[in-house]
Amino acid sequence: MSEISTQFWGDKSDVVSSIYKLAVIMTRNIPKTVREILRKEVNFGCPVENCGSPYLSYHHFNPPWHIKEHHDSEGMIALCLEHHKQADYGAFTDSQLNKLKAEPFLTKNDKVSGQFNWKRENLVFLLGGNIYLKSQNIYLYEKEPLLWLTNDNQNNTLLNFDIKAESGEIIFSMRNNDWITISEFDDIESIPSGKKLFVENIKEKIKIEIEFNNLTKIEFYQKYRNEIPEKWMVAIFQMITEDTLTVCSVNGYLTYPFEISLKKEGTKISGIGKEITIMGSLKMNDVQEMNIQTCFSVGDNVIVK
């Protein structure tokens, strides 16, 4: 190593040591499995007494992150942002945090609830690869609403949504952007920003993600140009004059009243076995499986009747 490079980098062994340290630096991105363990441990709500907020973040306390960078679930706890901040400044002792992990405020039988504060007059709904504007009711079939919209006194559009078990029993419900779980779920993730909710019930084969985003028209075009035909893009931009679009996307898997897979590429329906009507026009008999590719609709709509 030359004299100049030695002055700049130091001894060769120091360089190797520095490179090694950089290689083993742990990211603060907590692994998905660890986050799931921590959420389930507190029954999907902040464990502090009289809290129970579902908007959880993850606190390293034994040892703290600045002492040792780790993602050991035994030394971490899920807390809402307010109590996480308090924990960072020493409000809770390690023994108190361990007790909260063992005896959280919510029990397994308690209902978890929250709300979306995303309220806009014009919303773009992306439901399983299908686009809806100004819809009031979106049905799976006659008299079985999948998603319906109401307006508050400010004319903001509010989301209503039911998830049912195979028996037809409601296990998740949303009314006017307020949501609640009525049955036990294997996972519930509602990030602190309040823009996304994920729920999963393995036994019932149910998995749903609801997410809100603000996108400029340029961002919307760049994100969905491969999925939404350009003529529909133009129609959306003409109907919504604001420069920013608020988009609500719903994707996942349902089993009632039949199996329905909602993906950004389109909607797949299985196990129907009866005559159905698609979008109020195309009739099919004894259908076992079908795919609905991207469609664009304004106003009330029936996916399968």
Side-chain angles (χ1 to χ4, degrees), residues 6 16 101 115 129 157 228 249 270:
T6 301
V16 173
K101 285 165 68 71
Q115 73 173 161
T157 302
I228 301 177
S249 60
S270 306

Side-chain angles (χ1 to χ4, degrees), residues 183-198:
S183 180
E184 185 177 343
F185 278 77
D186 294 284
D187 195 12
I188 302 169
E189 182 176 23
S190 186
I191 60 177
S193 66
K195 62 178 286 187
K196 182 167 69 173
L197 172 67
F198 171 81

Side-chain angles (χ1 to χ4, degrees), residues 104-279:
F105 174 63
L106 295 180
T107 69
K108 288 185 178 180
N109 296 323
D110 285 332
K111 298 175 180 178
V112 182
S113 62
Q115 73 173 161
F116 285 107
N117 287 314
W118 292 69
K119 300 177 181 181
R120 302 290 191 277
E121 185 173 346
N122 292 307
L123 286 176
V124 178
F125 281 91
L126 303 180
L127 180 64
N130 302 293
I131 306 107
Y132 299 91
L133 286 180
K134 302 183 183 299
S135 300
Q136 293 302 311
N137 297 285
I138 301 170
Y139 293 94
L140 277 175
Y141 68 89
E142 192 174 3
K143 298 181 181 179
E144 186 65 45
L146 170 64
L147 182 153
W148 65 102
L149 308 176
T150 53
N151 294 321
D152 63 13
N153 55 15
Q154 304 293 319
N155 206 33
N156 291 312
T157 302
L158 305 178
L159 180 62
N160 299 267
F161 187 47
D162 279 340
I163 297 177
K164 296 184 178 181
E166 285 188 281
S167 64
E169 175 188 4
I170 295 176
I171 61 175
F172 172 92
S173 183
M174 183 183 294
R175 293 293 183 273
N176 298 332
N177 281 27
D178 293 340
W179 58 266
I180 187 169
T181 60
I182 301 168
S183 180
E184 185 177 343
F185 278 77
D186 294 284
D187 195 12
I188 302 169
E189 182 176 23
S190 186
I191 60 177
S193 66
K195 62 178 286 187
K196 182 167 69 173
L197 172 67
F198 171 81
V199 296
E200 180 178 25
N201 185 311
I202 296 173
K203 179 182 176 182
E204 295 291 345
K205 301 176 183 177
I206 289 170
K207 185 184 295 186
I208 285 291
E209 181 178 274
I210 303 170
E211 183 174 7
F212 285 81
N213 280 294
N214 284 327
L215 299 172
T216 65
K217 289 183 175 179
I218 293 175
E219 291 171 336
F220 184 86
Y221 175 78
Q222 291 174 338
K223 184 172 183 177
Y224 296 108
R225 62 185 174 182
N226 294 326
E227 300 164 26
I228 301 177
E230 189 167 335
K231 63 180 180 180
W232 293 354
M233 286 277 192
V234 173
I236 292 171
F237 294 164
Q238 287 176 339
M239 294 181 69
I240 300 178
T241 57
E242 294 89 346
D243 292 332
T244 300
L245 305 179
T246 299
V247 180
C248 176
S249 60
V250 179
N251 293 294
Y253 192 84
L254 302 170
T255 55
Y256 182 90
F258 30 70
E259 295 178 12
I260 177 168
S261 176
L262 302 164
K263 296 182 179 180
K264 66 179 183 178
E265 298 83 11
T267 297
K268 179 180 179 181
I269 299 174
S270 306
I272 306 169
K274 62 179 181 181
E275 182 180 287
I276 60 174
T277 300
I278 311 300
M279 301 302 179

